[in-house]
Amino acid sequence: MPAHTLDGDVYVAPLYLAGSTAIGDPALRPLLDNGFVAHSDELANVYVSSPEQHVRLGFLPESPDNPLWKVVAYRDPFGAPDWLATFDSNTPTELVTAFTSALAVSYAEEPETALTGSRHPVEEGFRPLEDAGWKRGNYQRTTLVTAPDGLAGLTYRGGVLDRQAELRGDQDRWLLWGGQDGFSSRWYASFTSAVPIPLISATTARLADPSPVLRYEAYIPERNRGDARIRPVPPLVPTPLDVRRATAARSRSHGSRLVGRAPAASATTSPSALPTRPAHQRRTAARS
């Protein structure tokens, strides 16, 4: 058989219409591979933390709150969070993985930079989308960058925001969204003011990537299917090694039938929009 298998039965593009994979492992793995520690509760929620407890992630499928993913950073492990990032249950898993991958690398290289961020212009968060042809507009102190089809966007709210209101989810400095409007089809991801810009730009770069992603067809939100480009995964082409193995197997099977043939016996061989999050999401964004 082929040396690898594909995780999904269709290719979907663009990413922002694909929905979630409903699997947390790909987004957890970059942190675990860089020394973060995981444990789970009796409900199967998963909590991952850096060895010094400065960065914590929660994958919360059994939480009563809406955000499926929460990532927080603390300079003081016993103090209030310095920043918070959230991804709801419909967010494509690849976007969460892009964020956690950038976070893992940043924390491994320089923990303080991952906590407080070095000085980077806000423009770096928009640039991957603009470079991909997304449209940018400004309304007073708010910047909105939208996909050509209008079904995904990034909202950046300028000016002074209340830090506690951001952590509660009542105000959004950065808000990513995608999908047709609707409970099961539109997703939201948010970042408070102090989230390091390189982590945001890593996420927007993945959002702008036009490459199709693998999904089981049933996982694609129904409202998004009419606007997404969906094509089946073609059958896997056997490698030369697969062909040699199959030929050898057929030769062994043929030899067995010749040896086992006898006159008195018989045998058989069996084959082996300026969007804002709904109010209930804003209220629950920072609760854990």
Side-chain angles (χ1 to χ4, degrees), residues 73-99:
Y74 307 77
R75 279 172 292 186
D76 176 1
F78 295 99
D82 290 280
W83 57 256
L84 166 70
T86 68
F87 303 85
D88 74 10
S89 58
N90 297 322
T91 304
T93 311
E94 292 83 356
L95 293 182
V96 189
T97 304
F99 184 89

Side-chain angles (χ1 to χ4, degrees), residues 57-194:
L57 174 147
F59 174 61
L60 310 169
E62 300 302 326
S63 170
D65 295 346
N66 180 268
L68 178 62
W69 300 87
K70 296 181 184 180
V71 188
V72 289
Y74 307 77
R75 279 172 292 186
D76 176 1
F78 295 99
D82 290 280
W83 57 256
L84 166 70
T86 68
F87 303 85
D88 74 10
S89 58
N90 297 322
T91 304
T93 311
E94 292 83 356
L95 293 182
V96 189
T97 304
F99 184 89
T100 58
S101 297
L103 175 59
V105 170
S106 178
Y107 194 80
E109 293 178 347
E110 181 52 60
E112 185 64 23
T113 300
L115 299 178
T116 62
S118 54
R119 298 183 66 84
H120 289 264
V122 168
E123 296 292 325
E124 290 187 11
F126 310 141
R127 188 168 298 129
L129 301 176
E130 291 186 279
D131 289 347
W134 292 37
K135 301 175 184 178
R136 177 172 174 172
N138 296 283
Y139 177 74
Q140 296 181 352
R141 292 189 174 184
T142 298
T143 299
L144 176 64
V145 186
T146 53
D149 60 8
L151 294 177
L154 166 64
T155 303
Y156 173 80
R157 205 172 301 276
V160 178
L161 300 183
D162 181 88
R163 179 167 175 267
Q164 294 304 317
E166 284 193 77
L167 293 174
R168 290 194 305 268
D170 293 333
Q171 295 181 349
D172 294 307
R173 176 70 73 188
W174 300 84
L175 183 66
L176 276 176
W177 58 274
Q180 288 283 2
D181 191 17
F183 175 75
S184 63
S185 51
R186 177 159 291 183
W187 55 266
Y188 296 92
S190 67
F191 310 102
T192 60
S193 297

Side-chain angles (χ1 to χ4, degrees), residues 17-29:
L17 298 179
S20 172
T21 63
I23 300 173
D25 292 6
L28 298 174
R29 180 52 52 192

